[in-house]
Amino acid sequence: MTSLEFTDQVQKISYSLRPVAMNLTRDADDAKDLVQETLLKALLNKDKFKAGTNLKAWLYTIMRNTFINNYNKITKRNSNIDTTEYFQYFNTDENYITHNGAQSDFVVTDINEAIGHLGHEYRTPFMMYYIGYKYQEIAEKLQIPIGTVKNRIHIARKDLKDALKVYAPGA
């Protein structure tokens, strides 16, 4: 196939490319640009087209790949998020940073003391819940109603929260 024949056939098929381009881009100007870029690539790469094969399918493939490549470029360019704003909040709360083992030892000691100061009727259900028992299992083991279990765990949490107020962020 000569260059003139190739160009003539591409020109005839080019009119059927626009509706497909419009379907891909959903914008008239972008569709025109996509068709133009497709035709340019086809003419520049006419030596890669094998005579006797489907020229229309070859052009559609070029158009589809061009659209996908352009879409990926736009998506990558727009997805660069400036994360510096988020890093200023990253691990900056002094209440959550342990500078040495002694401080964490004091925290654990204070937590254990606060749990120890809970009354037995609150400490037992709370510790059972803490180690993984479900409300129903606690109620069965302690032989008390499930509502009582929930209430005692709630009171234990509230008392612990009050006792450990020193470690509450922002308080």
Side-chain angles (χ1 to χ4, degrees), residues 1-160:
M1 176 182 296
T2 66
S3 287
L4 192 56
E5 291 172 336
F6 179 80
T7 306
D8 187 45
Q9 285 186 7
V10 168
Q11 187 177 7
K12 287 178 186 173
I13 296 172
S14 68
Y15 297 107
S16 67
L17 293 176
R18 187 146 193 260
V20 177
M22 188 65 183
N23 191 27
L24 288 171
T25 61
R26 308 268 190 236
D27 181 67
D29 292 331
D30 290 340
K32 287 178 187 175
D33 291 342
L34 182 58
V35 170
Q36 186 175 10
E37 194 172 349
T38 301
L39 295 174
L40 177 65
K41 286 183 179 182
L43 293 173
L44 290 174
N45 295 298
K46 65 184 169 203
D47 56 315
K48 295 180 182 174
F49 177 72
K50 295 178 184 149
T53 59
N54 190 346
L55 180 62
K56 194 174 193 180
W58 188 67
L59 290 171
Y60 283 152
T61 302
I62 291 172
M63 184 167 48
R64 186 193 70 219
N65 290 342
T66 302
F67 172 75
I68 290 170
N69 290 339
N70 289 341
Y71 178 81
N72 287 339
K73 283 179 192 174
I74 291 168
T75 306
K76 279 184 182 177
R77 184 174 48 227
N78 291 339
S79 67
N80 292 337
I81 298 170
D82 182 20
T83 57
T84 55
E85 176 183 330
Y86 298 107
F87 285 130
Q88 67 184 346
Y89 301 110
F90 187 69
N91 282 341
T92 58
D93 191 349
E94 290 297 318
N95 293 323
Y96 293 108
I97 299 173
T98 303
H99 297 285
N100 60 37
Q103 184 178 0
S104 63
D105 288 345
F106 285 127
V107 173
V108 171
T109 303
D110 289 349
I111 291 171
N112 287 333
E113 283 181 19
I115 291 172
H117 289 325
L118 290 174
H120 177 71
E121 67 275 2
Y122 300 112
R123 182 176 51 243
T124 303
F126 174 78
M127 290 307 295
M128 289 176 75
Y129 182 77
Y130 175 75
I131 61 174
Y133 284 96
K134 306 286 184 224
Y135 289 129
Q136 187 62 41
E137 295 171 329
I138 298 168
E140 290 170 4
K141 287 212 183 268
L142 298 179
Q143 297 177 349
I144 56 176
I146 193 166
T148 304
V149 170
K150 290 179 180 181
N151 185 41
R152 289 181 182 176
I153 292 172
H154 171 74
I155 291 171
R157 285 180 178 164
K158 189 173 78 76
D159 290 349
L160 289 173

